Structures are given as structure tokens and as C-alpha cells.
């Protein structure tokens, strides 16, 4: 085995089968920069990192064919999203993301070029978020490409999902439904080119390419409000918080279950993403349904005491982040209702289940244990 | 979605497709006990755990068809080993294992019974090692069952692999080759029954069922010396340490590369596992080759200054752990030699590569980045 000189250039068309695990690891190591707080980085039995008294830990996985298809867009977006979904979890606890370990299961025909693309996106996102990649693992698999990231963050004042109280407002950040609308068009053949522009419109025949592009980007490169949760925790404004990965209906019920309260949502005030709404007008998906049930918006769901909503809005202005009170928590066993004018109807979550619908794709990339 | 009462009994024959991700998560959550130092456990966006100033992090994966076959033995052994391979990494850094997150990718036809078996073994091993399972993730996959664990440990005085010096003794703990010998018989059809006894001997027609059983157990349920590294670090006895996951030849070269030294091994003193040797006598695999190149023994490889070898043995006696000086580190570019009597021959590592030999199984379950 030759190992002279880190970062020797590899043929980008070479496959895992050509390069082997050791060659691949050497290549990846040469790409990953040292980071602050990292005493022992990649290359030993374990990484050793500086931590505080309270450490947050989360893990989330992207599986090819379940959470993404490689023809949807450039490989770097897969790497970005694999980290982003974990960043969203740390942010929803009001944590500061610090260290990531990356576990890759790779089919033998994966090329260095494709893997480099994934790492381009992953390392770019890590640099944006102040995260150091400190370790990982590479394994062969006879199955699909799988990228599993565990992210450690620093915690202090935490935002939990089990503190919602009857009378609290149900508040969401940002707009909802764009990622789910984008997913539908990707499943219909739309493709994002390497330059970030639409390379195929797929089944879409309407106008509004800007809206289509915005929704596809929302699906392939989500942008959670990463610092907002920390600001809320510092000001002690909210009773509960979680990220909207699974769709508003499913996640709101999860918060109700954790907090032992019920909740209602006013359909008239849902902040349906304007691009998703625009696509609907031109024959696209139902924007309202995408906003209510579609997942992967990675915005925040908050339980806010009514007298703190003004303070919340003051903080949100600083971050240029829309916040919308869409309903209220109430006494009673965990359940959801939807308000239409004066009427209340039972609201059933419609988050898809990977296991239950073989061949379909659930809106949430995975479920957290 | 009904969620009344945690731990509602599930039909053990039910599959993931029957139960769905949410039902599955509810079931798993009900099984996982709270642990010391865990402020927020399973069920929120991220876990929150108490940590010290230095945290060790490692991740390792078991992929069905690459690292195990479910017909080899009971499901609980898969769960045990998935944690053990990570425990070995933390132990080789002289750390104390504390918190695990478990990421499962499951085919839709996985039964609750099988998954419960995996968790039985995982939680049993966690309890033995003082580890709390604090979070995880469940995802569907169209590919093989994959269990990816990230383990956090407390670190203080660390043992690294890059400190070997010319003149240090090459020392290994325990005996070598049993796991590789066991693997060969499993690949030949030997099977371990649920009661821990041999249910099929496969291609094996010799006597020595005790040796066969011992080697198969070494492969399916490895027992690394988990506390020995910490004792060594406290007494400042060794210059470098790493675990033997990949086989002595491959791992020794890795230590040479990290430390920028060469090394030689004396073939006459290798501590070939007596059960592996016994099997060879009766027509089994080559015990010497299994000890030299076979992986997954999860013993320790150490670089020990000659004047500290006595102290090392004193500590090893306390743990009832054999330690053997098998060679020496030397100046020169990283490379290995084998000593046979007075002759030295170049030694080339023979660790298998998953990617390079499609259909074959590498001795190391995976390679660490």
C-alpha cells in the first residue's frame, strides 16, 4: 500500500471499486480541514473535541431512492442537505452546531467525482454553519447510497417540544409548502442543473419558472432559520419549539403529544408559500395542502404565550423572518382541529410513511427516535 | 394516529410496513431506559447530555450482507456487535463510553421480532458498558438492513495512534485470529443457535466443536478489553494505541503511517488464538494467517517503550489479559517486515477491501475516516 503524500489527485471517473476504502479514506481526509476545538480529528480510533457542560446530539440520514434521487440535481446539494437537516434539529433546541461525523455507505460503482460533489456541498455547508467534520466511516453496501450524519452542538438554555400550554399561540416561522411543492415537480421530471438553473421542467407546462425554481430549491437546499431559536431561548419568549420536518399537521400533533395538550389551526391564516401558491394557480399542486401536510420546510413550530407574541415579532424583525400565529393550544387530550370561519373540524395529520406506502416517498426524510 | 400509553404491545410478527415509522418509534422509545447525565433523551429534536471538557466521538456501521448475515446467529448478537465495535474505538483512546445514538435503515419486511432482538442485544451491551442510548433515527431503505451507531465518550488522558517511536515494542493484547477463523466457518454454513450453541456445523467435519464455537462467538460477539486502555493512559505506559479491527498487518501499517516509523513482526511469537490453531490442525483455516491478517479481534495494538514493558505486564495481570511483544518499531519510511529466524522479509498487509472484491467480505467491518 502506497501512502506517500496526502491528497494525491485521484481520477475523478474512478469508482469505489477502483480506489478501495483505504484510498478513498485517504482522499477524503485530505479534503477535510482542521477546525477549532478539535484535539484529535480524522484518522484515529475516535475524534476528541472540546465540549461544554451540555452537549446536544442528533442524527439524521439521507437514503438514495427514499430521500433523494441523484438525477434531481447536483451531488453537492445532497451533501448540503444531509448536514442541513441535522443543523435544523440543533437549531430547534437553541443549540450551536459544532462537530459532525459522517457515515457513508457507498455502492461499488460510486465515482470519486460524485463523492467529491457530495463532500463539496457538505464542507461548504459546514463552513457556513461553523461546523467541523471530525470523523466518519466509509462502508461498502449492496444497497443505495446512504449518508448518515451525527451532529454535536453546544447547549445552554434549551428549547424543548414538551412545554406547550393551553392558551399558547401556535406560531410558525417563514412560509410553508414550497419544499413539498418542489418535490412533486421533481417526481414529475423537473431537474435542477449544475448551475442552479432549471434543466428540465418535467410535467410542468405553465409559466412561473421562477416559482418552480424556488420550490425545487426549497426541496433540494432547505434554509432553516438557524440562529432564531437561540435568540428566542435567550429572551425566554417561547414555551416549546421544534422544527417542521414532517409537515405542520404531523409535527403539531407531535408537540401536542409531548406537551399533553390539543391544538387548533386556522386555515385562513396559514402562511402558504407564495411560490407554491403561484404554481397552484397555474395548475400545480394544492398549496394549502402542501403548507398543512407537506414536510421538509425546516421552519420552526413554536408555542408562544399570547403576551409574548409582540416580543417574538420584535426578535423576528431583526432576522427578517416572517412569524405567523396560525392557531392556539388548548386543554384536552392530544388532537388537532382545523378552524374554517366559525366551524371547527377534526384535523388528521397526513404525513406519509415510507414503510406503509412502498414506492412512495414520505415528506419527512426520516423519523426521529 | 393513536398514541395512548407508551409501550403498547406490538404483534411480534408485524413488519415495518404494518407498523409504520411512528408506531415503530413509539415502540422503541418505550424500550429505552433513561440514563445518568441525560437531560433530554429520545423524543425531542436532539438529545441533551452532560459532558466534560473533552468528548470522544466515533461512528461505525454494520451493513447486512457486508458485515453480517442474519442467518448466522440470533438478532441480539447484531445489536451487541454494532455497539461493541464502537466501544472498542472509545476504549482504544482510553475513553469512558457514555452516550449512543442509533440510526437504523430498515427494509419494509423487517419484523418487530427481529428488530426487538437487535435492540435486546444493543441495550444489554449498553447496560454492561454504562452507555445510555439517547437518540436515533429510523428510516426505510430499499437496500439492506443497516445499523449505524455514533458513540460519545468522556476523554481525559488520551491514547493516540500517532506516537509510536523507533525502538518501541510492538505489543498486542489477547490472542489473534479467532474472529477471522470463525468468519470462515460462518461463510461455510456454520450457524449459532438462539441458545448460543452450534446449530449447524456447515462445512466443518472435524472434532473440536468447542474451538469452533469459540471462534464463531469471537466473530459474532467480540469482547474487546474495554478498560485496559484507560489503565494504560493513567500509568502513562504506552506511546501509541489503536484497536485491531482491520487485522494486525493492516492496523500496524496504519500506526506506522500515523507515526512515521516502520515496524517488524516476529512470526514465531504471534499469539495465535489456540482455538483457531486447533481448528487448523483439524483441517480448518490457517491460524497464523488469520492472526496476522484477519480482522475483528478488537484487541489492542500498542507501541511500548522497552523499559515500560514490565509495568505493562503488571497492569495486564490485574485484568487477566495476555500481552505479547510481537516485534519492534524502527526508523524509516512506513513499511512492515516479517522476521523468520534471522531473515527479514517485506510484509504486505492483506486486509480485504469491500469495494475491490465484490461479493467477498473484508475482515474489517468498515474503514474509519
Amino acid at each position: 500500500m502506497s501512502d506517500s503524500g496526502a491528497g494525491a489527485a485521484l481520477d475523478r471517473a474512478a469508482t469505489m471499486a477502483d480506489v478501495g476504502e483505504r484510498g478513498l479514506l485517504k482522499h477524503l481526509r485530505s479534503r477535510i480541514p482542521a477546525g477549532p476545538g478539535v484535539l484529535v480529528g480524522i484518522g484515529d480510533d475516535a475524534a476528541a473535541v472540546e465540549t461544554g457542560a451540555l452537549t446536544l446530539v442528533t442524527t439524521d440520514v439521507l437514503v438514495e431512492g427514499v430521500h433523494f434521487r441523484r438525477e434531481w440535481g447536483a451531488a453537492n446539494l445532497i451533501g448540503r442537505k444531509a448536514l442541513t437537516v441535522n443543523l435544523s434539529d440543533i437549531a430547534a433546541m437553541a443549540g450551536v452546531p459544532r462537530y459532525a461525523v459522517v457515515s457513508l455507505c457507498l455502492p461499488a460503482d460510486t465515482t470519486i467525482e460524485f463523492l467529491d460533489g457530495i463532500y463539496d456541498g457538505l464542507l461548504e455547508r459546514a463552513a457556513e454553519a461553523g461546523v467541523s467534520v471530525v470523523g466518519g466511516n466509509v462502508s461498502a453496501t449492496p444497497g443505495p447510497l446512504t449518508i448518515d450524519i451525527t451532529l454535536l452542538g453546544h447547549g445552554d438554555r434549551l428549547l424543548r417540544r414538551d412545554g406547550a400550554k393551553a392558551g399558547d399561540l401556535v406560531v410558525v416561522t417563514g412560509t410553508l409548502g414550497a419544499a413539498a411543492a418542489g418535490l412533486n415537480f421533481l417526481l414529475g421530471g423537473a431537474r435542477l442543473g449544475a448551475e442552479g438553473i432549471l434543466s428540465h421542467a418535467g410535467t410542468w407546462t405553465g409559466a412561473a419558472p421562477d416559482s418552480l425554481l424556488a420550490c425545487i430549491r426549497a426541496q433540494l437546499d432547505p434554509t432553516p432559520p438557524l440562529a432564531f431559536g437561540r435568540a428566542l431561548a435567550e429572551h425566554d419568549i417561547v414555551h416549546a419549539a421544534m422544527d417542521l420536518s414532517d409537515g405542520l399537521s404531523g409535527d403539531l400533533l407531535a408537540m401536542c403529544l409531548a406537551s399533553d395538550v390539543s391544538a387548533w389551526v386556522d386555515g385562513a391564516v396559514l402562511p402558504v408559500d407564495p411560490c407554491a401558491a403561484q404554481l397552484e394557480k397555474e395548475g400545480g399542486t394544492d398549496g394549502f395542502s402542501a403548507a398543512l401536510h407537506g414536510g421538509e420546510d425546516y421552519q420552526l413550530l413554536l408555542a408562544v404565550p399570547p403576551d409574548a407574541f409582540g416580543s417574538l415579532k420584535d426578535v423576528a424583525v431583526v432576522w427578517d423572518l416572517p412569524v405567523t400565529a396560525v392557531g392556539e393550544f388548548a386543554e384536552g387530550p392530544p388532537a388537532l382541529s382545523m378552524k374554517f370561519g366559525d366551524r371547527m373540524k377534526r384535523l388528521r395529520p397526513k404525513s406519509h410513511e415510507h414503510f406503509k406506502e412502498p414506492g412512495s416517498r414520505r415528506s419527512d426524510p426520516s423519523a426521529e427516535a
Side-chain angles (χ1 to χ4, degrees), chain A residues 11-239:
Chain A
D11 177 359
R12 289 170 62 77
T15 66
M16 301 301 106
D18 297 328
V19 176
E21 286 176 28
R22 285 162 186 278
L24 176 63
L25 282 172
K26 188 181 145 204
H27 175 69
L28 291 181
R29 281 180 206 173
S30 74
R31 294 206 51 190
I32 296 173
V38 183
L39 269 76
V40 180
I42 287 175
D44 215 312
D45 295 285
V49 297
E50 292 175 359
T51 43
L54 193 62
T55 295
L56 299 169
V57 199
T58 189
T59 186
D60 213 343
V61 66
L62 298 188
V63 180
E64 184 176 1
V66 178
H67 307 102
F68 68 91
R69 296 185 188 168
R70 58 177 90 183
E71 64 270 24
W72 284 352
N76 69 311
L77 296 176
I78 299 166
R80 283 185 68 85
K81 185 167 175 178
L83 187 56
T84 295
V85 297
N86 282 287
L87 291 170
S88 178
D89 281 323
I90 295 292
M93 299 290 288
V96 181
R98 297 201 64 186
Y99 310 109
V101 292
V102 181
S103 180
L104 286 164
C105 293
L106 300 173
D109 64 356
T110 310
T111 62
I112 290 291
E113 180 173 16
F114 192 74
L115 189 68
D116 269 345
I118 290 177
Y119 256 85
D120 286 343
L122 174 58
L123 293 174
E124 179 187 60
R125 193 74 177 103
E128 288 168 12
V131 167
S132 300
V133 176
V134 299
N137 194 72
V138 173
S139 173
T141 180
L145 192 149
T146 301
I147 176 167
D148 198 353
I149 295 185
T150 298
L151 183 62
L152 274 58
H154 174 70
D156 185 5
R157 306 182 70 160
L158 301 182
L159 294 179
R160 302 179 55 156
R161 64 172 65 174
D162 60 2
K165 291 180 174 37
D168 284 351
L169 300 176
V170 176
V171 174
V172 298
T173 63
T175 61
L176 303 180
L183 174 61
N184 280 339
F185 290 106
L186 289 165
L187 291 171
R191 299 288 176 261
L192 197 62
E195 311 76 17
I197 57 168
L198 213 60
S199 64
H200 297 283
T203 52
W204 179 247
T205 54
D210 286 353
S211 291
L212 183 58
L213 190 57
C215 289
I216 286 174
R217 281 196 179 135
Q219 166 61 222
L220 296 180
D221 189 12
T223 53
L226 294 180
F228 191 59
R230 290 207 294 285
L232 296 182
E234 274 168 28
H235 293 86
D236 201 13
I237 289 173
V238 305
H239 283 158

